[in-house]
Amino acid sequence: MHILHLDSAVTGEESISRKLTADIVAKLKTDNPAATVTYRDLNEGVPAIDTDWYKAVRLAPENPTAEQQKLVATSDAYLKEVQDADVLVIGSPIYNFTLSAQLKNWIDQIARAGISFRYTEAGPEGLLKGKRAIIAYSAAGTPIGSEVDFASDYLRHMLGFLGITDVTFVAADRLAMDRDAGLARAQEAVSALAA
């Protein structure tokens, strides 16, 4: 088993989602001692897609400039980490009712027509099949699955769009209302994760 461990919280050591992703990876490694891990901290910076990215990556010119080659290489590196993984452990702190900008940028980098998904006569088909995703969801005041949670359905949809349909959420939510109860629910969910 190869695990891709992604964090995106801006709060450093204070981060609940970072603690949860670490706990999830530790649980998976306990259950699978031979498991390997690739770690990426998205808070270190994931370039947002823009016109230059579109011209380099989506249009894929025959003779790309050095800058275009760099943009393609960056996007390819993010995508290869996902392609090589059996399990994705994704930290998703909730900021202003949705996922972090860094995590959204990462999704934009890996959503590549013809590589991670394709359009067919029957509709879109995800090409990153056979993988599992475990999302560490942390929120001070946004209950997971509520009408003001604009992150969990989006993440489930986008992962499914890319072919990753086995998605589990480990939620530490409503922490501002009852921190201890939120953390206890999350730890129970981590303990219950099947290998």
Side-chain angles (χ1 to χ4, degrees), residues 55-113:
K55 288 179 178 177
V57 177
R58 290 281 170 90
L59 298 184
E62 272 188 43
N63 297 303
T65 65
E67 184 58 34
Q68 287 175 326
Q69 290 174 16
K70 183 178 174 186
L71 292 170
V72 172
T74 297
S75 185
D76 285 350
Y78 292 126
L79 189 51
K80 183 164 185 347
E81 289 176 347
V82 178
Q83 290 169 326
D84 290 347
D86 301 299
V87 180
L88 284 70
V89 176
I90 303 171
S92 181
I94 304 307
Y95 302 140
N96 302 315
F97 309 103
T98 193
L99 62 160
S100 69
Q102 299 88 323
L103 184 52
K104 174 63 166 66
N105 289 347
W106 176 81
I107 290 169
D108 289 341
Q109 289 280 354
I110 67 166
R112 305 257 306 269

Side-chain angles (χ1 to χ4, degrees), residues 27-182:
K27 170 77 163 68
L28 293 174
K29 288 192 73 173
T30 296
D31 294 344
N32 303 274
T36 55
V37 180
T38 295
Y39 178 75
R40 186 179 285 274
D41 186 347
L42 302 179
N43 190 48
E44 291 178 358
V46 180
I49 62 172
D50 58 13
T51 303
D52 291 337
W53 185 92
Y54 172 77
K55 288 179 178 177
V57 177
R58 290 281 170 90
L59 298 184
E62 272 188 43
N63 297 303
T65 65
E67 184 58 34
Q68 287 175 326
Q69 290 174 16
K70 183 178 174 186
L71 292 170
V72 172
T74 297
S75 185
D76 285 350
Y78 292 126
L79 189 51
K80 183 164 185 347
E81 289 176 347
V82 178
Q83 290 169 326
D84 290 347
D86 301 299
V87 180
L88 284 70
V89 176
I90 303 171
S92 181
I94 304 307
Y95 302 140
N96 302 315
F97 309 103
T98 193
L99 62 160
S100 69
Q102 299 88 323
L103 184 52
K104 174 63 166 66
N105 289 347
W106 176 81
I107 290 169
D108 289 341
Q109 289 280 354
I110 67 166
R112 305 257 306 269
I115 302 175
S116 57
F117 71 92
R118 67 180 174 187
Y119 291 109
T120 71
E121 290 180 5
E125 177 189 6
L127 301 176
L128 300 175
K129 297 175 182 169
K131 301 178 187 305
R132 175 184 184 195
I134 304 169
I135 315 291
Y137 177 105
S138 65
T142 305
I144 190 167
S146 70
E147 63 183 15
V148 295
D149 166 18
F150 300 105
S152 62
D153 283 348
Y154 174 77
L155 285 168
R156 188 181 302 280
H157 171 79
M158 280 306 302
L159 291 168
F161 180 78
L162 301 177
I164 304 169
T165 57
D166 182 355
V167 180
T168 302
F169 283 85
V170 170
D173 59 349
R174 297 168 291 188
L175 295 172
M177 292 76 161
D178 191 338
R179 184 179 180 84
D180 291 342

